[in-house]
């Protein structure tokens, strides 16, 4: 069964600054072993941040679903297993020269990292658990 965030947890997470959200993301993904993205009929959604094309990612479905409105109302939140992310997505995003916007909020893209950096940080966190 999927872990469900409460309204209080969502409020607490969204109140964090970008660096705190990044730290939370790494810990939550290491624990839950899923990364959430938004997809539509054409594939995964991209955003522009810091002169980079980025795929936005979240550690929980509820946080990703908050973005399904306006121009993204046709999207759905989709989970990617962390092993699949590390094995396939990291090299794929790297090959496409895409960065990752970790837990973006209304004020900005969150922390923007390159795929290898995120993978290395996740692997280190999962080894510590």
């Amino acid at each position: 069964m999927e872990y469900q965030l409460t309204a209080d947890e969502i409020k607490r997470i969204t109140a964090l600054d970008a660096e705190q959200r990044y730290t939370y993301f790494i810990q939550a993904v290491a624990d839950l072993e899923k990364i959430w993205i938004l997809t539509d009929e054409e594939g995964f959604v991209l955003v522009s941040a810091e002169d980079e094309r980025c795929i936005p990612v979240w550690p929980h479905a509820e946080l990703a679903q908050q973005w399904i409105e306006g121009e993204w109302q046709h999207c759905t939140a989709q989970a990617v297993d962390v092993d699949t992310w590390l094995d396939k997505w990291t090299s794929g995003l790297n090959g496409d020269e895409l960065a990752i916007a970790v837990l973006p909020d209304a004020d900005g893209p969150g922390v923007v990292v390159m795929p290898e950096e995120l993978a290395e940080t996740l692997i280190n966190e999962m080894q510590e658990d």
Side-chain angles (χ1 to χ4, degrees):
M1 184 165 139
E2 294 290 325
Y3 178 78
Q4 296 269 308
L5 290 177
T6 65
D8 285 345
E9 287 173 317
I10 291 172
K11 192 180 289 184
R12 185 179 51 78
I13 295 164
T14 56
L16 299 173
D17 68 28
E19 288 293 331
Q20 292 168 325
R21 290 195 317 274
Y22 181 77
T23 300
Y24 176 82
F25 174 87
I26 295 298
Q27 293 167 344
V29 169
D31 289 344
L32 303 172
E33 300 185 354
K34 294 210 181 326
I35 293 176
W36 290 85
I37 61 171
L38 294 181
T39 61
D40 61 17
E41 63 280 349
E42 295 177 23
F44 55 84
V45 171
L46 293 174
V47 296
S48 293
E50 300 178 13
D51 298 326
E52 299 276 358
R53 289 182 343 159
C54 304
I55 180 171
V57 296
W58 297 269
H60 303 284
E62 297 87 346
L63 296 172
Q65 288 163 347
Q66 288 184 328
W67 286 78
I68 300 175
E69 60 181 40
E71 67 178 293
W72 292 359
Q73 64 189 1
H74 59 284
C75 295
T76 55
Q78 179 180 330
V80 178
D81 179 85
V82 73
D83 291 332
T84 302
W85 183 273
L86 295 171
D87 293 343
K88 295 185 172 72
W89 282 76
T90 298
S91 61
L93 293 171
N94 202 35
D96 291 341
E97 298 182 3
L98 297 174
I100 301 164
V102 176
L103 239 169
D105 67 7
D107 296 328
V111 173
V112 174
V113 296
M114 297 312 291
E116 320 77 41
E117 182 183 345
L118 181 65
E120 191 176 307
T121 305
L122 280 171
I123 289 166
N124 288 340
E125 181 69 22
M126 291 187 311
Q127 287 173 343
E128 290 175 14
D129 282 352

